[in-house]
Amino acid sequence: MIVNPEVKQKLWKFALRTPYSTEYLLQPTEWGKKIDIKKSFSPEIQSLWLELGSGWGEVAIELASAQSQVGFLLMEKKIDRIKATEVRRNRLGLENIRYMTTNFQWFFSELLETEVFDTILINFPDPWPKRKHHKNRVMQEGFLKEVHALLKPGGRLLFATDYAGYARHTIRLFRRMTQYFSHEQEYTFERPGFPISFFETEKRNEGKRIYYLERKKINLV
């Protein structure tokens, strides 16, 4: 996360300039004013998911099609991917998907209210395999504390990677954060009944092993 206030202000101005517009796109308007996600969906929505780095949206589209009473907020910085997802959403007539194009590694807790999401999904983030680049990985202790704050009590975090080193890195993080998250299994190689993205299909076809981690929020005393 960006901590330098001057850098944050510059990036904030950049984040406001999105070369794409749709009524399903949620944009920050002013510094310090968080977006009320619940009001962005219809009253019929009973729970909320957040997908960080939604890619081409195939996982969210499948989930949203099967769960009309769940609202899905997709954060994806690449506009072409949001556009492609919106074409499919519109074709299917799905009203339970919203987007944000702000880079969540720049701004995250500044944009969203606490304890609103039942599930936060992070599928295949950049593993930054070189040791000197590990600091760029999204899965860091500070980031996970922000995830913890956004989850409802008992909410869950779902994470997947095809890179064993990243899986080990993330497991070690969770071992240091047992006051924040609980689990039944440290990891599994299967996630039955869950949509599989194009990227995941490619990795499976290459013979890659996929590591799935699931954690539940523990309320801090």
Side-chain angles (χ1 to χ4, degrees), residues 192-203:
F194 202 87
I196 297 176
S197 67
F198 298 136
F199 179 85
E200 182 173 349
T201 299
E202 288 180 350
K203 293 301 178 182

Side-chain angles (χ1 to χ4, degrees), residues 123-137:
N123 269 344
F124 304 98
D126 193 328
W128 293 98
K130 293 182 179 179
R131 182 175 294 276
K132 65 180 180 180
H133 294 149
H134 285 186
K135 64 182 182 294
N136 296 324
R137 289 173 170 173

Side-chain angles (χ1 to χ4, degrees), residues 6-73:
E6 292 185 6
V7 173
K8 275 209 167 191
Q9 287 293 339
K10 290 179 180 179
L11 292 177
W12 180 260
K13 293 179 181 179
F14 179 79
L16 295 178
R17 297 194 293 269
T18 301
Y20 178 63
S21 179
T22 167
E23 61 182 306
Y24 298 89
L25 178 67
L26 309 181
Q27 275 294 91
T29 55
E30 59 184 272
W31 181 256
K33 185 176 182 180
K34 297 186 179 185
I35 294 173
D36 191 333
I37 299 300
K38 293 179 181 178
K39 289 185 178 180
S40 302
F41 290 93
S42 70
E44 290 75 27
I45 296 299
Q46 297 178 359
S47 62
L48 293 172
W49 282 51
L50 170 63
E51 183 174 6
L52 300 175
S54 57
W56 299 100
E58 59 269 35
V59 170
I61 289 287
E62 187 171 337
L63 289 170
S65 298
Q67 303 177 68
S68 61
Q69 293 181 318
V70 179
F72 295 85
L73 174 60

Side-chain angles (χ1 to χ4, degrees), residues 137 159 161 163-176 186-187 211 213:
R137 289 173 170 173
F159 172 77
T161 181
Y163 188 68
Y166 203 178
R168 291 192 295 269
H169 163 86
T170 306
I171 289 168
R172 286 194 295 268
L173 281 174
F174 283 126
R175 286 176 178 171
R176 297 200 299 266
E186 282 204 313
Y187 65 92
Y211 299 82
L213 283 67

Side-chain angles (χ1 to χ4, degrees), residues 35-108:
I35 294 173
D36 191 333
I37 299 300
K38 293 179 181 178
K39 289 185 178 180
S40 302
F41 290 93
S42 70
E44 290 75 27
I45 296 299
Q46 297 178 359
S47 62
L48 293 172
W49 282 51
L50 170 63
E51 183 174 6
L52 300 175
S54 57
W56 299 100
E58 59 269 35
V59 170
I61 289 287
E62 187 171 337
L63 289 170
S65 298
Q67 303 177 68
S68 61
Q69 293 181 318
V70 179
F72 295 85
L73 174 60
L74 314 186
M75 293 188 78
E76 171 57 58
K77 64 183 179 180
K78 295 185 177 180
I79 304 299
D80 58 333
R81 295 180 178 181
I82 290 292
K83 288 181 177 179
T85 304
E86 172 59 12
V87 168
R88 295 185 64 201
R89 183 215 61 77
N90 183 59
R91 186 170 66 246
L92 294 170
L94 299 175
E95 294 297 320
N96 55 335
I97 288 180
R98 299 292 184 272
Y99 314 104
M100 290 185 72
T101 58
T102 310
N103 188 328
F104 62 83
Q105 289 187 266
W106 292 355
F107 305 103
F108 192 40

